Amino acid sequence: MRYLILSFWLCVFFLAACSSDAEREPFTLTEGAIVFRDSLAIDDSDFSFSFVFNPRIFQDTLLGFGDGTFRSINLFHARTGAFLTNYERDSIDSYIIPEKDMSFFYVHEDEIYILNDLVQKIFVFTLDKQFKRKIDLVMPDAHTKPTYEGIFTRVDDTFYISTVHDGTLAEQFKYSKLVSVFDLEGNFSHSFGSYPESYTQGNLVLSTNEHKVIKGDRMFILNVAGLPVLKEYSLAGELQAIYPLSPPSFDTEIGFYQSDPFASPLTDQMNGLALDPADPRDILYASFSSFDTRERSSYGLSTYRWIILRIDLDAKT
């Protein structure tokens, strides 16, 4: 697995607090360089992963992800790359889980939680693949469903799951709550977060869902297209702060389509949001792709940059 990083910048942005009288504090822009540290090749010789969903590392040694067909969760050794095990219908004797859709998992102590968003259930196994229990998610209404990317995590006795309104794309952007919260029995608690209003101004298809990470007792949500805005929520769903970002080379214009989504103008999009869970500082990392032209014809898709942002909320850089 190889990664190409073409340029590295720190972002310019301003802190906008939720209260109307809050002070706006400018952040400084600096340039940085990437220091190559290490790489790891996983032993995927017995697989053909064309795409992976929601890669995560747990307990420093477990690297896992859902495969591009939504049919399995795969675990590798995070330090050696060795294949450990996978969870799919043909590999589990203790309980036959539905074939689709599996892309999310979470490891807690010696248990693995696998979210099947199609049937809206969480299947719990031991790490040696012994079935323990099934959790039925009680959704807040008939139109809300889990989605296959975004966030699925457990904090204490609570699950945080990316959800979406089940309807047309326009309805999804208008009515969705981005995160729904459940107890360990699957009972619904509350929802929070919404798509930017700009998404509803035309026909839009995005390459990924809004990005979400949890740090301590806060969740950060970053939108994909348009003006990048990092929002900070409490885990109770209260909006704490808003950080509009102005990264260099990012075009905030959204390429809506008229009749064919494959003919829409190219749109710069935020690709990810991450943090180092061992770092106590308020530092987040985001990445985005920036196209040199908005035209899909000729060379449009072949000329772009992949840029990484290091966002330090304490140092305001």
Side-chain angles (χ1 to χ4, degrees):
M1 185 179 296
R2 295 176 298 176
Y3 298 89
L4 178 63
I5 303 176
L6 302 179
S7 58
F8 176 80
W9 295 82
L10 300 188
C11 61
V12 177
F13 56 92
F14 292 87
L15 168 63
C18 298
S19 58
S20 58
D21 58 347
E23 179 184 1
R24 282 182 174 268
E25 302 179 59
F27 282 61
T28 58
L29 169 68
T30 61
E31 296 182 10
I34 288 178
V35 178
F36 179 80
R37 294 181 58 185
D38 200 357
S39 65
L40 175 70
I42 63 172
D43 180 12
D44 60 353
S45 55
D46 294 330
F47 306 92
S48 57
F49 299 124
S50 60
F51 191 78
V52 300
F53 287 100
N54 309 311
R56 301 189 66 178
I57 293 178
F58 294 90
Q59 303 168 3
D60 291 331
T61 56
L62 292 176
L63 165 65
F65 52 80
D67 80 323
T69 65
F70 301 99
R71 297 188 179 189
S72 65
I73 300 295
N74 308 273
L75 298 183
F76 295 82
H77 197 291
R79 296 181 180 177
T80 67
F83 171 71
L84 297 177
T85 190
N86 65 352
Y87 295 79
E88 58 182 351
R89 288 174 59 90
D90 296 337
S91 69
I92 302 177
D93 296 327
S94 59
Y95 188 88
I96 304 300
I97 56 179
E99 186 172 343
K100 290 186 176 183
D101 283 8
M102 290 184 288
S103 64
F104 270 128
F105 79 105
Y106 185 82
V107 174
H108 177 74
E109 297 178 347
D110 62 346
E111 294 182 336
I112 181 169
Y113 296 81
I114 298 175
L115 172 65
N116 188 309
D117 59 88
L118 188 66
V119 297
Q120 302 182 13
K121 301 179 188 297
I122 297 171
F123 299 93
V124 187
F125 295 86
T126 63
L127 291 177
D128 60 0
K129 302 174 78 166
Q130 297 303 305
F131 177 72
K132 297 197 69 173
R133 63 189 178 278
K134 177 180 64 176
I135 302 171
D136 295 312
L137 295 175
V138 182
M139 306 308 294
D141 55 66
H143 297 289
T144 300
K145 65 177 183 178
T147 185
Y148 61 89
E149 60 181 354
I151 195 168
F152 169 54
T153 191
R154 173 181 169 177
V155 177
D156 299 325
D157 294 333
T158 305
F159 291 118
Y160 294 85
I161 301 175
S162 284
T163 49
V164 68
H165 180 87
D166 189 11
T168 66
L169 285 174
E171 291 172 338
Q172 289 183 15
F173 292 143
K174 185 176 182 179
Y175 299 116
S176 291
K177 291 298 183 182
L178 298 179
V179 180
S180 292
V181 184
F182 304 83
D183 65 18
L184 295 186
E185 302 303 317
N187 298 306
F188 173 76
S189 172
H190 59 280
S191 296
F192 59 92
S194 58
Y195 288 105
E197 185 179 353
S198 58
Y199 286 11
T200 66
Q201 304 306 305
N203 298 317
L204 175 64
V205 175
L206 299 175
S207 62
T208 186
N209 202 345
E210 309 292 76
H211 307 294
K212 313 169 188 75
V213 295
I214 289 179
K215 184 172 182 63
D217 59 356
R218 297 165 296 163
M219 179 179 291
F220 293 89
I221 299 179
L222 177 64
N223 58 296
V224 174
L227 175 67
V229 176
L230 182 68
K231 295 182 178 181
E232 178 183 331
Y233 291 86
S234 70
L235 293 186
E238 300 167 339
L239 184 61
Q240 303 292 312
I242 299 175
Y243 308 89
L245 311 182
S246 299
S249 304
F250 189 90
D251 189 344
T252 61
E253 183 178 351
I254 298 177
F256 297 107
Y257 68 91
Q258 297 301 316
S259 57
D260 181 6
F262 296 101
S264 63
L266 294 173
T267 299
D268 289 0
Q269 297 186 42
M270 304 301 297
N271 300 313
L273 182 66
L275 53 81
D276 179 356
D279 191 339
R281 298 173 298 174
D282 271 355
I283 294 177
L284 301 174
Y285 300 88
S287 67
F288 68 88
S289 53
S290 174
F291 292 96
D292 290 345
T293 175
R294 298 179 64 79
E295 297 296 330
R296 288 183 178 271
S297 59
S298 64
Y299 63 93
L301 285 170
S302 62
T303 57
Y304 69 93
R305 286 171 291 173
W306 193 289
I307 298 175
I308 292 179
L309 310 176
R310 181 182 185 272
I311 307 168
D312 191 325
L313 300 181
D314 291 328
K316 298 182 178 60
T317 59

